[in-house]
Amino acid sequence: AFIPNPCFREFDVDKRWRRELATSEMFDTYAQGGRSNLPAHLERMCACPLLTRKEERDLFCRMNYLKYRANAIRSTLNERRPSVRKLEDIGKLLAEANEIRNRIVHANTRLVVSIVKKFADPLNPFDDLLSEGIACLMNAVEKFDFERGFRFSTYATMAVRRDVFRSITRSHLNRRRFATGATDILDQQVNDETPAERTESGQREKDTVLYR
């Protein structure tokens, strides 16, 4: 899946997608700053520099164009005898698109951390909510339309908050359902007992029968 854009046709004319692969860049650069109060693994996750508006737009455009090209090549494949070269091109295009997606996710991980910290409590562990938030962030990257003029952080903030809140609500409902179910079972057991069984001597007789 990709977000279409009219500029992709212009890129097709000058074979830009081949240059993209020939000049592929790895975006694994991290800011070198002072140490934060975060655990080491979170500090590493949040160390990727924030994207400028231009960088963000360029990365989203490039990622979606690469997926668009992969889809275009796939549509020309012969299902019975697919071209090995075309399959290799599709693999390279999607691998590069995935690298760009990961770069965007890394650059916005600190956003998820800042949101999750506000919701985390003993009943909703930070790590569980963080996992939910990162999954939502990855999905948001795939659906974001860079042509609408909004910053990705605005779109991602709303999406992550919504999903984290839903996760907390589900957890709360599950706890209530379990507590209510357990209470109903205990109440039923008590109601099923006769007055004699509820006395201490009656309970001893009941235990004697059970474990004889």
Side-chain angles (χ1 to χ4, degrees):
F2 62 91
I3 305 298
N5 192 284
C7 69
F8 292 169
R9 295 180 181 177
E10 300 176 12
F11 298 162
D12 282 346
V13 173
D14 61 2
K15 302 295 183 182
R16 176 172 171 175
W17 67 279
R18 292 197 177 278
R19 293 206 308 275
E20 290 286 355
L21 291 181
T23 59
S24 176
E25 299 178 4
M26 296 295 102
F27 295 100
D28 193 24
T29 55
Y30 293 88
Q32 301 296 324
R35 295 189 62 82
S36 67
N37 295 324
L38 294 173
H41 68 289
L42 291 181
E43 186 175 355
R44 172 65 177 175
M45 291 172 63
C46 298
C48 188
L50 296 175
L51 300 173
T52 65
R53 180 181 290 273
K54 183 180 185 305
E55 288 172 337
E56 183 176 285
R57 179 182 175 83
D58 288 347
L59 288 175
F60 272 104
C61 181
R62 184 179 177 189
M63 180 187 72
N64 282 285
Y65 176 67
L66 291 169
K67 291 195 291 183
Y68 154 79
R69 281 303 314 167
N71 189 64
I73 296 174
R74 185 181 63 180
S75 66
T76 66
L77 286 175
N78 184 324
E79 294 184 2
R80 295 184 178 180
R81 299 183 61 184
S83 165
V84 174
R85 180 178 178 181
K86 288 183 178 181
L87 290 175
E88 290 177 347
D89 283 343
I90 291 173
K92 291 177 181 179
L93 288 163
L94 294 180
E96 176 66 8
N98 189 58
E99 287 289 338
I100 296 174
R101 185 201 65 176
N102 291 342
R103 167 70 174 100
I104 298 172
V105 170
H106 288 162
N108 288 276
T109 297
R110 69 185 68 184
L111 172 66
V112 178
V113 171
S114 66
I115 294 173
V116 168
K117 286 170 64 177
K118 299 176 182 178
F119 289 95
D121 58 36
L123 296 177
N124 299 283
F126 176 85
D127 287 346
D128 290 350
L129 295 183
L130 180 62
S131 177
E132 187 83 19
I134 294 296
C136 175
L137 179 66
M138 296 174 68
N139 188 50
V141 172
E142 301 289 348
K143 295 183 177 181
F144 180 67
D145 187 352
F146 61 92
E147 272 297 336
R148 294 191 175 185
F150 298 103
R151 291 298 301 267
F152 175 68
S153 58
T154 302
Y155 176 79
T157 296
M158 293 187 293
V160 171
R161 283 180 177 172
R162 182 183 63 245
D163 274 31
V164 169
F165 182 76
R166 286 177 178 173
S167 177
I168 293 173
T169 301
R170 286 196 303 269
S171 178
H172 177 67
L173 291 176
N174 288 337
R175 286 194 299 270
R176 288 186 57 186
R177 188 176 298 114
F178 175 79
T180 302
T183 302
D184 290 343
I185 293 173
L186 293 174
D187 289 343
Q188 185 63 42
Q189 290 177 343
V190 171
N191 292 332
D192 290 344
E193 292 179 347
T194 64
E197 289 177 328
R198 295 174 191 169
T199 65
E200 183 177 353
S201 60
Q203 186 62 47
R204 283 201 301 270
E205 294 176 4
K206 184 178 179 181
D207 292 341
T208 300
V209 174
L210 287 174
Y211 297 103
R212 180 176 297 172

